[in-house]
Amino acid sequence: DAGVIQSPRHEVTEMGQEVTLRCKPISGHNSLFWYRQTMMRGLELLIYFNNNVPIDDSGMPEDRFSAKMPNASFSTLKIQPSEPRDSAVYFCASSNRRGNNSPLHFGNGTRLTVT
Amino acid sequence: AQSVTQLDSQVPVFEEAPVELRCNYSSSVSVYLFWYVQYPNQGLQLLLKYLSGSTLVKGINGFEAEFNKSQTSFHLRKPSVHISDTAEYFCAVSRNFNKFYFGSGTKLNVKP
């Protein structure tokens, strides 16, 4: 089991640029979550998907943020245009909601720095 | 809605001493409870979970937690900590495994 895989691990970009973060959930998991972690706000849920369908995106801060899950093995979180206040660590997590209640399994995160 | 409070942002402790990290939650319905650990530059890893049954839950690395419904608490304990336990610990609740609500975290600093 390779776990949840996120790329890139680090991203440094200039304000105004488009940023795309990628996530590969654990094979067989059917729920996927995007979180943002900052010192000030802690862990915030941005959006989650069940069976590739966005269920709740109420945590997405602004229209500059968008997330997609085109298939069960891939998801992206895009920020366009990026701003310095978007600097944070972004985590992807997955779980298996079929049958047994499954906790979250996190990736190692993408540290985003917007200058 | 559910919320989680971790009153201690930092807990310093000497190696081999016992430790308790506090977690209180608020919810009008039954919830499931979790503790996660985060090591530097890594994602969160599950330590233990309470779903139902015995209120004392044992997890990995010698940690355990006790669910107290009357006090709405789920404190994490370890009888003897190691340097390697230095990390940040997060308490979380979920009503239906859709949304997970995390506390603000407690940084455990184990000193030699």
Side-chain angles (χ1 to χ4, degrees), chain B:
Chain B
Q2 294 90 53
S3 68
V4 180
T5 302
Q6 293 182 245
L7 289 173
D8 306 307
S9 59
Q10 298 194 46
V11 173
V13 63
F14 286 105
E15 194 173 19
E16 297 183 5
V19 71
E20 178 180 83
L21 306 184
R22 297 181 293 169
C23 172
N24 288 88
Y25 67 94
S26 64
S27 175
S28 57
V29 298
S30 296
V31 293
Y32 304 108
L33 297 154
F34 309 84
W35 275 99
Y36 282 83
V37 59
Q38 185 179 29
Y39 299 103
N41 300 315
Q42 293 186 26
L44 282 70
Q45 302 172 31
L46 182 68
L47 266 182
L48 49 79
K49 60 185 177 184
Y50 173 77
L51 303 183
S52 65
S54 173
T55 57
L56 184 62
V57 180
K58 293 189 183 299
I60 61 172
N61 300 341
F63 284 92
E64 63 182 31
E66 186 159 18
F67 169 57
N68 188 318
K69 187 174 182 178
S70 63
Q71 297 186 6
T72 59
S73 67
F74 191 54
H75 301 332
L76 181 70
R77 302 186 183 102
K78 186 170 182 178
S80 176
V81 295
H82 302 132
I83 295 287
S84 59
D85 293 324
T86 295
E88 189 160 16
Y89 293 79
F90 293 88
C91 182
V93 302
S94 179
R95 185 170 71 88
N96 54 13
F97 285 82
N98 276 332
K99 281 191 168 183
F100 290 76
Y101 296 87
F102 286 84
S104 54
T106 298
K107 291 184 178 177
L108 177 64
N109 183 16
V110 182
K111 305 174 185 179

Side-chain angles (χ1 to χ4, degrees), chain A residues 4-91:
Chain A
V4 176
I5 298 173
Q6 291 186 247
S7 64
R9 285 299 309 274
H10 303 274
E11 177 79 46
V12 180
T13 191
E14 292 183 346
M15 183 174 66
Q17 296 297 306
E18 176 180 298
V19 175
T20 300
L21 311 181
R22 297 173 175 79
C23 175
K24 176 178 169 54
I26 292 174
S27 177
H29 282 191
N30 63 338
S31 291
L32 184 139
F33 304 76
W34 282 101
Y35 281 86
R36 178 171 68 176
Q37 186 179 38
T38 61
M39 290 288 290
M40 293 298 294
R41 294 174 170 266
L43 271 166
E44 302 173 275
L45 176 64
L46 301 178
I47 184 172
Y48 76 92
F49 297 81
N50 278 346
N51 298 317
N52 311 340
V53 176
I55 302 299
D56 186 340
D57 65 354
S58 59
M60 297 286 261
E62 299 171 35
D63 291 345
R64 298 184 295 106
F65 286 70
S66 62
K68 293 182 180 179
M69 192 163 186
N71 57 61
S73 59
F74 184 65
S75 176
T76 59
L77 178 67
K78 186 177 293 186
I79 308 172
Q80 165 63 20
S82 58
E83 297 183 3
R85 60 192 167 123
D86 301 331
S87 297
V89 181
Y90 291 81
F91 287 103

